[in-house]
Amino acid sequence: MNKSLLQTNPRGLCDEPKIMKKLEFNFKKNREQDNSPHLDRLSLEFDYDRCKNEYWNPENFSLFYKSPLWNEASPTQRIKLNQLYWVAYYSQIISAEIATIFFNQTSAAGLYGIEDFRIVCETLDLESMQERAHIAAFKRIAESFELAEFGERFFTYPMRGPYVETMIFQNSGKVRRFWKEMQLKAFTLLSSGNAFIGSQYFTVRGVRTLNGKIIQHQLSQYYMQHSKKDLAPIPSVVSYHHFLDESFHFNTSMIVGKEATKVLRNPTRFEKTVVNRMLEGCQRDHYNFSTAINGIFWSDPALFGTTYRLLRSPIFSMKHGDALNMLHRLFAEESEAMHLSQLTHKTAVDSYREYLAPLSFLSRKNREVQIMAENSMEKHLATNRRALRFFRA
Ligand SMILES: [Fe+2]
Ligand SMILES: [Fe+2]
């Protein structure tokens, strides 16, 4: 930037050629490899009938894997639990990506106020376009599955805006949901007018993507290891192409959230407070581990109703009493399924810690990921048992 002319910020991105190079490289590679056309094609080609009798993920990524329901399920029911994992998992990803598209734009607006951030904004434009292709593919597959198997929605939902609670199965209650929506609205205004807060959206995005990356890498392996790739079920191919795009998105989060801040002035107390609050919110969103779905931090009690419907559906055809009994065994009794989900939660805590540790403007609560780390098997079981007493099917 031209230093002889007055500038709002003493430094621009061009003053950090190493960071600039990384951004350019990441953008160039993502553009060259853009998976959106593949995903659009796959979504058009998808025909549920052609892949309804096979797994879509590695076996351990099945709904209720290693729970009593899984242990007692027939091979056909296990296939459905495996496909349901895909449907549930990517229904959550749709919600997260709707929010991402919006906050990419508001944060880009905040960062564009500093010299030389055009490259970041254009990277984010590309990413938002990719997210729309991702969402379209997930939505078409997940809705086709639910229509064919149930004739109604289980995990999917009608298209929605970015202010709705991102976690689709969260026990928030009306007041907390309203409060969260207000916080999101306030954050949009703050991030679009403040480069530091805008940049730190990417720290939050990075944390959220980090967990996604751990799971999605494993989901992509089903296609990677398929002996006849051209015959692999389309949902598994979607998982693979999506993971390729997301790896670039994660790099963007790392570079913008952690490195590009070098050209910004030191954060004020207010800015630090906003960023710390955001991360605390993210920790609260990721506090639970879910017995039903390993790798997504949904609240079990929020899933009782859907699980009951699943048990009563033609896939399991249970009677009312048997379904209630199974709900109890699934959620109120310790199982290997719970331990596996808790283990993934622990891995997430460790990787968030490693990611956040170098950021000196964060509170200890955030750097050490204390809120998430407070959860335990005892607390998990106590919450589920309490909620089950009030559950009415
Ligand atoms: Fe995506
Ligand atoms: Fe993404």
Side-chain angles (χ1 to χ4, degrees):
M1 80 184 168
N2 193 330
K3 297 226 162 133
S4 46
L5 296 178
L6 178 68
Q7 305 290 354
T8 39
N9 203 62
R11 309 177 72 220
L13 256 188
C14 287
D15 296 314
E16 289 285 346
K18 262 196 191 154
I19 301 175
M20 200 67 178
K21 264 219 172 84
K22 277 192 198 173
L23 284 165
E24 280 164 357
F25 184 76
N26 190 50
F27 184 34
K28 182 171 164 267
K29 287 283 163 202
N30 191 10
R31 219 171 9 187
E32 281 169 11
Q33 197 215 249
D34 185 11
N35 286 270
S36 319
H38 295 296
L39 289 163
D40 284 342
R41 180 182 43 81
L42 289 165
S43 137
L44 278 176
E45 279 172 17
F46 175 72
D47 175 2
Y48 179 57
D49 276 338
R50 276 170 54 195
C51 58
K52 68 176 183 190
N53 296 321
E54 55 192 317
Y55 279 32
W56 294 353
N57 312 306
E59 189 180 62
N60 55 327
F61 291 98
S62 300
L63 218 62
F64 290 109
Y65 179 68
K66 293 282 178 181
S67 72
L69 184 67
W70 172 267
N71 295 341
E72 293 160 22
S74 69
T76 324
Q77 288 169 332
R78 286 188 177 185
I79 290 175
K80 291 302 141 196
L81 288 173
N82 185 269
Q83 296 169 347
L84 270 164
Y85 183 102
W86 196 102
V87 169
Y89 185 87
Y90 287 108
S91 292
Q92 175 56 47
I93 300 300
I94 292 176
S95 170
E97 297 195 341
I98 288 173
T100 301
I101 292 169
F102 182 52
F103 292 112
N104 279 352
Q105 305 310 316
T106 63
S107 308
L111 288 166
Y112 197 53
I114 307 291
E115 301 295 327
D116 319 321
F117 269 80
R118 179 178 164 190
I119 173 96
V120 173
C121 299
E122 284 174 5
T123 304
L124 295 172
D125 288 344
L126 171 65
E127 291 184 9
S128 294
M129 278 170 61
Q130 293 175 325
E131 301 298 16
R132 290 189 195 97
H134 302 167
I135 291 170
F138 299 152
K139 194 169 160 59
R140 183 161 139 64
I141 297 173
E143 288 183 348
S144 307
F145 175 94
E146 291 190 341
L147 188 65
E149 291 295 336
F150 309 121
E152 59 176 325
R153 292 192 187 276
F154 266 58
F155 294 99
T156 64
Y157 39 86
M159 204 53 187
R160 60 206 231 174
Y163 292 124
V164 186
E165 167 120 46
T166 310
M167 280 285 179
I168 59 177
F169 288 91
Q170 183 78 288
N171 253 7
S172 289
K174 263 191 185 159
V175 177
R176 192 162 147 69
R177 267 205 304 276
F178 175 76
W179 173 235
K180 278 176 113 173
E181 187 180 328
M182 287 303 115
Q183 282 181 318
L184 279 179
K185 287 188 172 162
F187 178 70
T188 8
L189 286 176
L190 289 168
S191 60
S192 61
N194 182 306
F196 182 76
I197 296 177
S199 76
Q200 287 317 296
Y201 160 66
F202 293 95
T203 298
V204 176
R205 201 185 83 163
V207 166
R208 288 183 179 271
T209 321
L210 198 55
N211 182 54
K213 208 179 158 187
I214 301 168
I215 303 299
Q216 289 167 30
H217 174 252
Q218 299 178 70
L219 296 180
S220 74
Q221 291 306 299
Y222 190 82
Y223 172 71
M224 282 297 283
Q225 288 168 8
H226 203 280
S227 52
K228 292 185 185 123
K229 292 214 168 22
D230 47 335
L231 294 178
I234 283 186
S236 74
V237 195
V238 167
S239 298
Y240 168 76
H241 283 288
H242 181 248
F243 175 69
L244 294 183
D245 276 352
E246 288 305 325
S247 305
F248 287 107
H249 300 189
F250 182 67
N251 289 345
T252 310
S253 298
M254 291 278 277
I255 309 169
V256 179
K258 289 175 132 178
E259 298 188 50
T261 42
K262 279 187 193 150
V263 304
L264 306 178
R265 51 166 177 67
N266 287 334
T268 62
R269 240 170 72 186
F270 173 72
E271 289 166 340
K272 283 190 215 168
T273 308
V274 172
V275 172
N276 276 300
R277 282 281 165 82
M278 267 160 40
L279 274 162
E280 283 166 25
C282 181
Q283 283 200 63
R284 268 184 216 107
D285 274 354
H286 290 195
Y287 174 82
N288 292 301
F289 51 90
S290 159
T291 308
I293 181 159
N294 182 351
I296 284 198
F297 304 133
W298 285 345
S299 129
D300 273 355
L303 279 164
F304 291 169
T306 306
T307 307
Y308 173 82
R309 287 201 293 139
L310 172 66
L311 299 174
R312 302 273 283 146
S313 78
I315 299 177
F316 289 98
S317 307
M318 285 188 191
K319 294 208 172 68
H320 172 73
D322 294 337
L324 285 185
N325 184 37
M326 180 53 90
L327 269 191
H328 198 273
R329 290 173 69 202
L330 288 175
F331 293 109
E333 289 171 16
E334 209 168 323
S335 66
E336 200 181 338
M338 269 181 201
H339 282 282
L340 290 170
S341 294
Q342 191 192 24
L343 204 67
T344 303
H345 192 261
K346 167 94 179 48
T347 310
V349 170
D350 293 342
S351 58
Y352 294 2
R353 263 185 201 143
E354 203 183 304
Y355 186 76
L356 298 172
L359 299 176
S360 56
F361 48 83
L362 294 183
S363 63
R364 255 184 69 188
K365 204 195 249 180
N366 280 322
R367 259 184 294 131
E368 294 175 8
V369 197
Q370 288 173 355
I371 301 176
M372 272 177 83
E374 265 170 27
N375 203 354
S376 64
M377 188 54 80
E378 293 68 40
K379 287 183 184 167
H380 179 81
L381 281 166
T383 308
N384 284 0
R385 284 172 185 156
R386 202 177 324 114
L388 262 179
R389 282 204 293 273
F390 295 101
F391 177 72
R392 296 279 170 271

